[in-house]
Amino acid sequence: MHQSTEGFTTHPYDDDHLHEECGVFGVFGAAQASAMAALGLHALQHRGQEAAGITSFDGREFHTHRAMGHVAGNFDRPEVIDALPGQIALGHNRYSTTGETALRNVQPLYAELASGGFAVAHNGNLSNASRLRRDLIRRGSIFQSTSDTETIIHLVATSNYRTLLDKFIDALKQVEGAYSLIALTREGMLAVRDPLGVRPLVLGKLNEAWILASETVALDVVGAQFVRSLDPGELIVITDKGLVSHRPFEPQRPRPCIFEQVYFSRPDSFDHGVSVYQTRKRIGAELATEAPVEADMVVPVPDSGTPAAIGYAQASGIPFELGIIRSHYVGRTFIQPGDQIRHLGVKLKHNANRAMIQGQRLVLIDDSVVRGTTSVKIVQMLREAGAREVHLRVASPPTRHSCFYGVDTPERSKLLAAQMTIAEMQDYIGVDSLAFISIDGLYRATGEPGRSANAPQYCDACFTGDYPTRLTDQEDADLPDQLSLLAERVA
């Protein structure tokens, strides 16, 4: 289980979901930029709840405040914001997929380079960071964190190119994987999206100020107007002279993460001009067409399953009901001494609405099944509350492969769909029937005709195993096992 600090652990219900690594938010040219960054991070809190940080620049000095925990409680105090002066600010929410849970890994990361101060905040994961790190250490680099983001700083610092922009581009051309990142320098702000566009990054305008964010909802919260999404492989430079766009990478066929549509993004965000909420409703409607069942009501696992459940109910004609009530005041629970108390702690977050579901046949809608432990507990809770039948419908295909692009995914041996057939999963979870949306159905819900084997429109590797980049660090990790197997065969 993913461990946090101070004796807390991720809530049991949350631990069985995939977790986005982080959210980024940048402000250039606004009064009280750090306060605006804090508001933006509030809107992106769902993307990373482990830690948060803001770096500002006042024209002379950089100022940074980083802390474990949520944005609220860390950046809602006037003295914290007052200590972050300037009209330029960079913020970050973190949920770690690489690096330990420690303050030294909280972003933005800051370093003094030959050209001056350099702060960076990164959403994604570099799939060759370990190899690059080993090479950099051999050449004399001294790392202060275990985050893959620091690799970028060292690559910039050791580049032989002359200008900071060229050093930055040189560094990015050496990394593999997924990244949407924002860097803050004395001259201005840099923002870039990886050539495949796996992770989102949008640009907005508030009066004369430029705003950058992981999702459009963060623009809404600060009152900024959406301008556009950064294109895959696009790098923009914002200075007092304005905004300049660069295309330093060879064009590639974009592969944005499809799970942004399923779960990661807030439903009130737009992803490439498409309402995430409407897409999730269409996913539910596709599920109703692909996997119909006779039932009395459609019940979501709140909150992530709710839009798909509404779509399923509307398409099937089965009434939508809140058969499970979620408490929004429970994020983490103390580690309890016994199994009985720990089980009761699970019900702090979700509880069956007994008056609605007793004696009823339920279609239970969830966004995904990862380890399956949450599904088992929810189904057991519903049956104990008197549900006559429980039919589970899942708004994503079976998750059979790990993600290496900035999503906290268990190793494949712990993914339920990688170890069991659908029938075996049905028995394990304890439902009367189980069905997942097909990969083509998921694509149709996003507005595509279906998945083309020759030209997939999204990164869907967690479902298909079709990774769009080389996985250098994973290959290095697997090499000893491959050599051992080869030795056994030779022997």
Side-chain angles (χ1 to χ4, degrees), residues 6 16 53 89 100 129 185 202 217 220 223-224 245 247 294 317 362 379 416 430 433 435-436 441 489:
E6 301 176 0
D16 198 28
E100 64 183 336
T185 75
V202 298
V217 66
D220 297 338
S245 175
R247 311 279 175 160
E294 291 188 7
L362 312 181
V379 171
L416 194 67
S433 69
F436 296 77
R489 289 171 184 163

Side-chain angles (χ1 to χ4, degrees), residues 221-239:
V221 166
V222 301
Q225 293 293 115
F226 171 76
V227 175
R228 62 182 177 87
S229 294
L230 268 69
D231 291 331
E234 183 182 11
L235 188 160
I236 63 172
V237 179
I238 305 175
T239 66

Side-chain angles (χ1 to χ4, degrees), residues 405-421:
Y405 302 122
V407 179
D408 183 27
T409 318
E411 55 263 32
R412 196 156 185 247
S413 63
K414 294 182 180 178
L415 293 173
L416 194 67
Q419 308 303 317
M420 296 183 182
T421 65

Side-chain angles (χ1 to χ4, degrees), residues 21 94 97-99 105 107 109 122 124-139 141 143 145-155 171-179 181 404-406 469-477:
E21 183 184 4
R94 183 173 192 262
T97 60
T98 65
N105 287 327
Q107 298 181 39
L109 298 182
H122 168 212
N125 196 59
L126 307 183
S127 55
N128 66 335
S130 293
R131 182 180 287 188
L132 289 171
R133 184 188 184 95
R134 288 194 301 270
D135 291 343
L136 285 162
I137 290 173
R138 289 192 194 103
R139 288 157 48 191
S141 291
F143 282 75
S145 77
T146 58
S147 169
D148 63 335
T149 307
E150 191 179 357
T151 305
I152 296 172
I153 295 177
H154 286 276
L155 290 173
L172 295 175
K173 286 185 175 180
Q174 297 178 61
V175 304
E176 300 169 1
Y179 55 85
L181 61 86
F404 301 98
Y405 302 122
T469 72
R470 184 180 176 186
L471 304 176
T472 298
D473 290 342
Q474 187 63 27
E475 293 168 4
D476 290 347

Side-chain angles (χ1 to χ4, degrees), residues 276-412:
V276 173
Y277 178 77
Q278 294 293 348
T279 296
R280 290 177 188 170
K281 283 181 63 178
R282 288 194 295 270
I283 291 172
E286 284 283 346
L287 258 176
T289 300
E290 293 184 352
V293 64
E294 291 188 7
D296 301 309
M297 63 181 63
V298 177
V299 173
V301 177
D303 289 324
S304 56
T306 300
I310 294 172
Y312 192 104
Q314 291 176 347
S316 66
I318 302 172
F320 170 93
E321 297 288 355
L322 294 178
I324 300 171
I325 304 301
R326 176 188 173 185
S327 169
H328 291 82
Y329 304 101
V330 180
R332 298 179 184 273
T333 55
F334 283 106
I335 300 174
Q336 301 291 354
D339 289 340
Q340 181 179 2
I341 300 300
R342 189 177 295 113
H343 176 71
L344 293 175
V346 169
K347 291 189 176 183
L348 287 173
K349 187 155 192 178
H350 292 86
N351 193 42
N353 189 357
R354 186 181 298 270
M356 290 303 304
I357 68 175
Q358 194 164 23
Q360 303 297 306
R361 300 169 299 171
L362 312 181
V363 182
L364 181 67
I365 307 292
D366 205 354
D367 61 90
S368 60
V369 173
V370 184
R371 294 176 178 88
T373 52
T374 295
S375 301
V376 170
K377 292 170 185 174
I378 288 179
V379 171
Q380 180 183 354
M381 179 180 68
L382 293 173
R383 292 200 186 279
E384 289 174 351
R388 182 152 58 98
E389 296 177 10
V390 182
H391 302 272
L392 179 59
R393 298 294 180 265
V394 185
S396 59
T399 303
R400 294 193 171 100
H401 305 272
S402 298
C403 176
F404 301 98
Y405 302 122
V407 179
D408 183 27
T409 318
E411 55 263 32
R412 196 156 185 247

Side-chain angles (χ1 to χ4, degrees), residues 37-165:
L39 289 174
L41 292 182
H42 270 290
L44 299 173
Q45 185 72 86
H46 59 287
R47 299 185 73 89
Q49 301 178 42
E50 185 178 274
I54 295 175
T55 296
S56 70
F57 180 61
D58 62 8
R60 299 186 309 276
E61 297 180 33
F62 291 83
H63 309 270
T64 296
H65 183 80
R66 302 182 297 164
M68 306 303 298
H70 290 185
V71 179
N74 286 312
F75 290 96
D76 54 1
R77 304 193 306 274
E79 63 270 21
V80 173
I81 298 300
D82 290 345
L84 297 167
Q87 296 189 350
I88 309 172
L90 171 58
H92 185 272
N93 285 333
R94 183 173 192 262
Y95 188 101
S96 66
T97 60
T98 65
E100 64 183 336
T101 302
L103 189 61
R104 63 176 176 158
N105 287 327
V106 179
Q107 298 181 39
L109 298 182
Y110 176 81
E112 284 287 346
L113 306 183
S115 57
F118 184 84
V120 63
H122 168 212
N123 173 211
N125 196 59
L126 307 183
S127 55
N128 66 335
S130 293
R131 182 180 287 188
L132 289 171
R133 184 188 184 95
R134 288 194 301 270
D135 291 343
L136 285 162
I137 290 173
R138 289 192 194 103
R139 288 157 48 191
S141 291
I142 301 173
F143 282 75
Q144 299 297 315
S145 77
T146 58
S147 169
D148 63 335
T149 307
E150 191 179 357
T151 305
I152 296 172
I153 295 177
H154 286 276
L155 290 173
V156 172
T158 58
S159 172
N160 292 323
Y161 282 84
R162 187 177 62 83
T163 69
L164 179 60
L165 178 60

